[in-house]
Amino acid sequence: MHFFKPLALASALLLSSHVAAQADRNRITLAVHGGSGTISRTTITAEQEARYRASLEQALRAGHAVLAGGGSAVDAVVATIKIFEDDPLFNAGKGAVFTNEGKNELDASIMDGKTGLAGAVAGVTTIKNPITAARAVMEKSRHVLMAGVGADKFAAAQKLEIVDPAYFHTPHRWEQLQKAKERDQIQLDHDGKPKTSAVSPALSEPFEAWMVDHKFGTVGAVALDANGNLAAGTSTGGLTNKLFGRVGDSPIICAGTYADNQTVAVSATGTGEFFMRGVVAYDISARMRYSNASVNHAVDQTIKATLSDKNGRGGVVALDKNGIVKYGFNTEGMYRGAIRADGKPEVLIYKD
Ligand code: ASP
């Protein structure tokens, strides 16, 4: 009998560790957003919808492949966001919008929920995939945020892919910039107000009056890996016709991006100024940490307090440590989706 006991114990241990590993693999989850805004069945065509759906699915599958292969949440977030950055459909990397000066200034950030480390770049103009530069800042420097020429140089020194700024020029974004400039001119003429340029809207005007198209095409991803680690990342070209040098929330850790293994991973999109003032991504985590709020409740409360109550617009995708995905936004729609262990992408666009 004595000989059997250790054997039985060993096999019970083996079985339980097998069950644990199995349970972990089942937990892998990735969720994304591709921007929020005036996105409704009347504002986009069936063809546009199909293109967005296909792109979102492709990005979700790329991240899922990493997680299913045992990759980390950070690896999955980077792989997913790179797909978006290479796709001209989204306002990140290749599809980035223009500043009022007709340039593309890109921002990105990433945070590792396991280590609490984070990295970000702002106002970069030559890095093909800004999310890879954000990761390099996190892993290869002592810093959290690098901006402008210094960040571009750092990325080159890290042997990341560098492109001519012209790479980011796409005709549809250029047209958007022209419209934004025209619209501003027309509005002001019509209103009979003294001419002010779009680069410095009258401070009394609501921010939204200055926005073009009311769509935020920023991209973000949040992931939970097989080891229970969370990560979040965000990448953007910012706002069309933004004042050159303006930086939004996307590269600001705690505003546009946040991840903590104890609570949640969050990536945001919307009018960055509101997200920075409301410290949106961190606020969601804080509600969960300090008052034990569920991710659903925390996101709803934060959106209300930091955006809706203050006329700010946008949304977030949040993923808690248990793999629960919550999309929260106060706009008509948000390109969004998730993929879990079964590998079947879920893609949503409209509010209903
Ligand atoms: N949050 C971004 C910014 O303010 C814009 C966006 O989400 O599209 O730069």
Side-chain angles (χ1 to χ4, degrees):
M1 252 343 236
H2 282 293
F3 295 106
F4 290 108
K5 264 192 184 161
L7 250 182
L9 187 67
S11 53
L13 275 174
L14 255 177
L15 189 70
S16 69
S17 70
H18 179 71
V19 169
Q22 189 70 27
D24 281 349
R25 267 207 300 276
N26 284 335
R27 192 168 55 181
I28 62 171
T29 309
L30 177 92
V32 299
H33 69 75
S36 62
T38 317
I39 306 162
S40 70
R41 288 183 177 82
T42 54
T43 56
I44 60 172
T45 64
E47 194 226 328
Q48 284 171 325
E49 177 176 333
R51 281 171 63 207
Y52 274 104
R53 283 189 183 278
S55 291
L56 286 160
E57 283 189 11
Q58 190 197 351
L60 285 167
R61 286 211 170 90
H64 178 265
V66 171
L67 293 174
S72 71
V74 168
D75 290 337
V77 162
V78 172
T80 307
I81 291 183
K82 274 179 80 175
I83 299 277
F84 283 131
E85 287 178 339
D86 292 344
D87 187 337
L89 215 48
F90 298 94
N91 174 17
K94 177 73 185 161
V97 299
F98 286 94
T99 66
N100 67 296
E101 276 199 333
K103 294 192 176 146
N104 306 102
E105 296 180 353
L106 300 101
D107 306 329
S109 66
I110 191 161
M111 185 159 185
D112 181 345
K114 177 184 173 192
T115 59
L117 294 176
V121 290
V124 296
T125 57
T126 63
I127 306 166
K128 185 177 180 226
N129 292 110
I131 192 68
T132 59
R135 181 182 194 165
V137 172
M138 174 170 79
E139 294 178 346
K140 307 275 171 56
S141 85
R142 294 172 196 274
H143 308 304
V144 171
L145 173 60
M146 296 189 68
V149 179
D152 278 304
K153 277 191 187 165
F154 172 77
Q158 292 299 321
K159 306 267 181 286
L160 299 182
E161 195 170 348
I162 300 300
V163 290
D164 187 281
Y167 165 81
F168 297 109
H169 187 117
T170 55
H172 73 293
R173 295 299 188 197
W174 185 251
E175 207 180 296
Q176 271 181 2
L177 174 66
Q178 306 319 313
K179 273 196 201 149
K181 288 185 161 177
E182 269 169 37
R183 217 181 79 133
D184 188 54
Q185 192 85 23
I186 288 163
Q187 258 185 357
L188 293 167
D189 283 350
H190 181 70
D191 291 348
K193 286 182 194 163
K195 268 189 189 176
T196 59
S197 144
V199 304
S200 54
L203 287 178
S204 56
E205 282 179 29
F207 205 106
E208 286 295 308
W210 182 55
M211 299 287 304
V212 63
D213 272 2
H214 298 268
K215 278 194 203 95
F216 311 100
T218 290
V219 303
V222 286
L224 176 67
D225 66 28
N227 295 315
N229 295 315
L230 287 168
T234 310
S235 182
T236 191
L239 301 177
T240 299
N241 204 16
K242 67 185 178 184
L243 195 59
F244 71 97
R246 175 267 187 190
V247 174
D249 62 313
S250 307
I252 306 299
I253 298 301
C254 293
T257 300
Y258 191 72
D260 178 354
N261 269 9
Q262 303 308 310
T263 52
V264 68
V266 181
S267 170
T269 174
T271 319
E273 282 67 13
F274 291 87
F275 287 78
M276 287 188 276
R277 289 190 288 253
V279 205
V280 167
Y282 180 75
D283 191 61
I284 292 167
S285 172
R287 285 175 195 274
M288 295 175 70
R289 192 167 191 139
Y290 301 141
S291 60
N292 234 357
S294 68
V295 65
N296 284 302
H297 187 71
V299 166
D300 287 343
Q301 292 298 302
T302 297
I303 298 266
K304 183 181 180 310
T306 61
L307 298 182
S308 304
D309 288 353
K310 298 191 159 83
N311 291 326
R313 278 156 57 83
V316 300
V317 59
L319 169 64
D320 82 359
K321 61 179 178 181
N322 301 312
I324 296 174
V325 174
K326 165 73 174 173
Y327 312 109
F329 52 98
N330 67 356
T331 50
E332 286 82 343
M334 181 166 84
Y335 296 111
R336 60 201 189 278
I339 193 162
R340 300 177 176 80
D342 64 8
K344 289 190 193 130
E346 152 192 289
V347 168
L348 299 158
I349 297 180
Y350 312 109
K351 196 168 247 168
D352 45 54

